[in-house]
Amino acid sequence: MAPLTLSVDVKSSSDTSPDVSKRVMHSPQLKMSQGFFASVNTQEDKPFDFFRTLFEGFIAGGTAGVVVETALYPIDTIKTRLQAARGGGKIVLKGLYSGLAGNIAGVLPASALFVGVYEPTKQKLLKTFPDHLSAVAHLTAGAIGGLAASLIRVPTEVVKQRMQTGQFTSAPNAVRLIASKEGFKGLYAGYRSFLLRDLPFDAIQFCIYEQLCLGYKKAARRDLSDPENALIGAFAGALTGAVTTPLDVIKTRLMVQGSAKQYQGIVDCVQTIVREEGAPALLKGIGPRVLWIGIGGSIFFGVLESTKRTLAQRRPNTVKETKEE
């Protein structure tokens, strides 16, 4: 017999007891269905508002991205320097906020674009896919969101990591010198390795987070609080960060090599690292990475859900319905 999984039906139910708390009354109705993954039925009486979901995703994603980047930038800097160091190179612990301002200028639109694309794509796919394939919807939406955001993320990451490793002192100078020496494509150095790391990362992290939230809601029979969202986000981030560390090392090496061209591509990078430094070098920086992404996931999802809820409460139709009730 197939394992039992969660199905969430967001249709309003007339069976809800008036004695149930307001929070539970407005939670999705829970039921059991057969399948492998948690499932969610998003059929609603109201039409799907694509542009409002897009707009709210932009605001929530941008807010969460900036908060996380500002709080955890030093840990990211240490991780980058560990991964960029070849052999037994020493790690400099000065200038841990080097490049923060320029990076935020890229993180804000990138995070906004990611969530802005992810949220409406997720809602559309959940309506399209069978209920028991909600995980596939989350995986697909995460990958599509990551692909869209990569157009901003990659140049931001290239500039940030070269400043973190001491190659440049300011973001404008970094952009100007990279473009003059390496051409426009220099700003997209390591693009394929970036996608190799970030598309699986985004897809897996958001899928784990969404599926755990569905399971937790089923068990608790209520909506999650911000601390609970943050805890689940931390677990999803830390687990995904650990699994994708080798991809992150490859991406970092390709991005910071500049015009020296120490590596000729992803395969050559892996072979060179293993040959010269040993296979464990592919796990360089795993400690700071797991710490950074674990804490970052906690902050990101906590802020994201809080901002989304605040924006939803400010919707004109929500206010009108509240008055009528």
Side-chain angles (χ1 to χ4, degrees):
M1 183 179 70
L4 293 177
T5 55
L6 169 67
S7 175
V8 183
D9 188 349
V10 299
K11 290 182 179 178
S12 60
S13 173
S14 59
D15 299 330
T16 306
S17 171
D19 296 329
V20 181
S21 66
K22 183 178 180 181
R23 191 174 194 180
V24 176
M25 282 178 63
H26 293 284
S27 297
Q29 185 182 0
L30 303 172
K31 65 181 181 179
M32 302 303 294
S33 67
Q34 288 189 336
F36 187 74
F37 297 110
S39 61
V40 53
N41 189 331
T42 60
Q43 295 179 6
E44 299 178 348
D45 295 330
K46 299 179 182 179
F48 172 55
D49 192 336
F50 174 83
F51 291 105
R52 178 170 290 278
T53 305
L54 179 69
F55 171 74
E56 292 180 354
F58 269 112
I59 300 299
T63 301
V66 169
V67 172
V68 170
E69 197 68 21
T70 303
L72 303 179
Y73 196 79
I75 300 177
D76 183 36
T77 300
I78 293 173
K79 183 270 301 181
T80 298
R81 291 176 181 176
L82 281 170
Q83 292 179 342
R86 304 186 67 181
K90 295 183 179 180
I91 306 302
V92 179
L93 296 179
K94 294 182 179 179
L96 296 182
Y97 272 99
S98 177
L100 174 62
N103 191 52
I104 287 180
V107 166
L108 175 58
S111 298
L113 182 58
F114 175 85
V115 180
V117 171
Y118 172 79
E119 285 294 335
T121 302
K122 176 187 73 174
Q123 296 297 334
K124 185 66 176 177
L125 291 175
L126 286 173
K127 290 176 177 292
T128 304
F129 288 6
D131 293 349
H132 64 281
L133 293 181
S134 64
V136 179
H138 295 141
L139 282 168
T140 306
I144 293 174
L147 184 62
S150 69
L151 298 175
I152 301 175
R153 281 177 173 176
V154 174
T156 301
E157 191 84 353
V158 169
V159 172
K160 178 192 75 173
Q161 294 198 328
R162 294 197 189 182
M163 291 186 66
Q164 287 176 330
T165 53
Q167 297 182 36
F168 303 104
T169 57
S170 70
N173 284 338
V175 173
R176 180 174 56 83
L177 291 173
I178 291 173
S180 63
K181 291 183 178 180
E182 304 170 44
F184 180 75
K185 65 179 182 179
L187 294 171
Y188 283 87
Y191 184 70
R192 285 181 295 179
S193 64
F194 183 90
L195 293 181
L196 180 65
R197 180 202 70 172
D198 268 40
L199 294 191
F201 178 89
D202 291 331
I204 295 171
Q205 182 186 31
F206 274 77
C207 180
I208 291 175
Y209 173 77
E210 298 276 15
Q211 293 292 304
L212 287 178
C213 283
L214 288 176
Y216 194 98
K217 284 181 181 179
K218 179 261 175 181
R221 295 184 178 277
R222 59 172 174 79
D223 287 338
L224 275 63
S225 65
D226 289 339
E228 289 168 336
N229 284 321
L231 183 62
I232 294 175
F235 176 79
L239 178 61
T240 311
V243 172
T244 57
T245 294
L247 302 177
D248 190 46
V249 172
I250 296 167
K251 185 270 310 176
T252 298
R253 293 292 182 92
L254 290 172
M255 281 189 168
V256 303
Q257 67 176 339
S259 57
K261 295 298 180 183
Q262 298 165 324
Y263 311 107
Q264 301 305 313
I266 296 174
V267 175
D268 179 63
C269 181
V270 174
Q271 292 175 340
T272 303
I273 291 174
V274 173
R275 182 176 63 252
E276 296 182 355
E277 305 171 53
L282 291 172
L283 294 177
K284 276 190 172 183
I286 188 173
R289 177 171 169 79
V290 169
L291 177 64
W292 166 54
I293 297 180
I295 298 175
S298 173
I299 298 173
F300 182 87
F301 285 107
V303 173
L304 180 70
E305 298 295 348
S306 178
T307 306
K308 284 166 58 180
R309 185 174 61 252
T310 300
L311 291 172
Q313 291 171 349
R314 293 178 178 273
R315 292 176 183 172
N317 60 335
T318 302
V319 175
K320 183 178 180 180
E321 291 171 2
T322 302
K323 290 181 179 179
E324 290 177 352
E325 292 175 356

